Amino acid sequence: DQTLPVVINPKLQRICDQTDNPVECLITTIPFLREKAAINPMSILKIKVEAVDIKIKEALDKASKLLLYSSNSKPATFCFNVCINNYKSILESKHRILDAILLGDDKQLRVELSSNVDKIYHCEDAFEEANIKSPITEVNSLLGKMISNSLTITIDMVHF
């Protein structure tokens, strides 16, 4: 569930609040506005980080269940363990990301988010190298996009 931060102006809130993805609406609408919008990009980024955190927990749960019910072949077990460890690592990075947001440290923020993108794709690569069709491809694709979008917001935020 995405809710818009209170820091935006009421007109913009009315435009995006009723959409399915108000944060994405906000991000895509702002560049087309002639006047400066009263918005705090950090608050949008915090919402994105929380959304990624929820999806990572879901992915971790799914990967753990799939590992439990997998054929117990060594390559599949190895691949699931790579993904599970990477997902756990991404969850652990949440606090460093939120600290970087709080401090306005865009360099550290980019490092953390880029590292998380790498961990997602490393999970998928493990399955490809083992020549196993990944049952969590959709999950990885979604997570990769979400984290990449957060990285884009971070880069845009520097120019705000």
Side-chain angles (χ1 to χ4, degrees), residues 20-55:
D20 290 337
N21 296 300
V23 173
E24 283 79 3
C25 170
L26 190 63
I27 293 164
T28 54
T29 305
I30 287 175
F32 297 102
L33 299 176
R34 290 181 184 250
E35 62 188 59
K36 289 254 183 203
I39 183 168
N40 180 349
M42 292 294 198
S43 60
I44 293 176
L45 191 53
K46 282 181 185 178
I47 292 169
K48 293 295 266 185
V49 169
E50 291 301 326
V52 168
D53 188 60
I54 290 166
K55 290 296 179 190

